[in-house]
Amino acid sequence: MDALSPEEIERYKRHILLPEIGGMGQQRLKAAKVLVIGAGGLGAPVLYYLAAAGLGTLGIIDDDIVSLSNLQRQVIHDTGTIGEQKTESARRSISRLNPHVRTLHFEERFSTVWAHDHLSAFDLVIDGSDNFDTRYAAADAAEVAKVPLVTGAVGRFDGSVTVLKPYEEGPDGMLLPRYRDLFPAPPPEGLIPSCAETGIIGALTGVIGTTMAMEAIKVITGTGEPLVGRLMLYDALAARFETIRYKRRQAA
């Protein structure tokens, strides 16, 4: 791993002071290559906090452009970037925040074909997408590529986060659970309306997105206990967090 420069040591001093992170953990962050799917409500805080944390390479994949209605929650964009590609807007924000971070941007929709060609170049995937097709495609592709996946979702006033490593064995010798062990199949089309139809409280995406960033940092640095086999649920109206455990489903 590359050594930290004096400027990086000063920038990340508060991380380095933590025994759980230290200089070695910060070097691991610098060496890491992370793909973030979506530069929207969840992707915005994920990208900002990972860039601030000193991630070496951030890949951003999104085929959308910035619109005025995004700005209530997608804080990596601003009024001056309306009409621009979200990947380019996010890239410039990251560059202003931390010039040490390398960005790769892909102006397209995530797919299994794209994943087959590109996913092996990354150490970790973070799925901040807003649709079930992409969530299942990301989970399946990350499992095939044997890359850890941090995935989150939000509703009107609620959200969830989990971490997936279905190619590894747990302490009991059993393979860790898949995304499809938690959610076996997507809901019927149209059953769950989008936030464009029902609305969403903007700060909620910050709560869930920063939690996703925290889980990514834990996985990369080997700190703490990531949410593997656990689903963290957040109810914003009740100000309540809950965590439920789930396991690999056994073949019938």
Side-chain angles (χ1 to χ4, degrees), residues 125-176:
V125 180
I126 302 177
D127 181 15
S129 63
D130 61 358
N131 66 88
F132 289 101
D133 288 345
T134 302
R135 288 174 192 157
Y136 280 85
D140 292 344
E143 180 179 0
V144 170
K146 297 185 178 180
V147 176
L149 172 68
V150 179
T151 183
V154 287
R156 295 168 62 248
F157 291 96
D158 60 272
S160 63
V161 181
T162 193
V163 178
L164 296 155
K165 292 185 175 182
Y167 48 86
E168 290 186 2
E169 293 182 353
D172 58 1
M174 301 292 292
L175 285 170
L176 294 170

Side-chain angles (χ1 to χ4, degrees), residues 154-238:
V154 287
R156 295 168 62 248
F157 291 96
D158 60 272
S160 63
V161 181
T162 193
V163 178
L164 296 155
K165 292 185 175 182
Y167 48 86
E168 290 186 2
E169 293 182 353
D172 58 1
M174 301 292 292
L175 285 170
L176 294 170
R178 303 182 176 103
Y179 186 74
R180 292 177 184 272
D181 293 317
L182 184 60
F183 303 111
E189 187 173 353
L191 180 65
I192 299 179
S194 68
C195 70
E197 299 171 290
T198 64
I200 186 169
I201 190 73
L204 171 66
T205 61
V207 175
I208 300 302
T210 51
T211 301
M212 294 166 73
M214 184 69 238
E215 290 301 300
I217 290 169
K218 286 161 60 181
V219 171
I220 292 164
T221 62
T223 302
E225 183 184 354
L227 286 166
V228 178
R230 295 183 296 149
L231 178 69
M232 189 205 78
L233 303 168
Y234 174 59
D235 180 341
L237 292 179

Side-chain angles (χ1 to χ4, degrees), residues 97-116:
L97 176 64
N98 189 347
H100 297 284
V101 178
R102 176 182 178 230
T103 54
L104 305 171
H105 47 107
F106 307 92
E107 288 81 24
E108 56 189 292
R109 195 178 187 88
F110 182 89
S111 67
T112 53
V113 173
W114 185 94
H116 179 270

Side-chain angles (χ1 to χ4, degrees), residues 64-67 80-90 92:
D64 201 6
I65 61 171
V66 180
S67 65
T81 65
I82 291 172
E84 293 184 5
Q85 288 283 342
K86 287 184 179 179
T87 51
E88 176 60 19
S89 171
R92 290 209 307 272

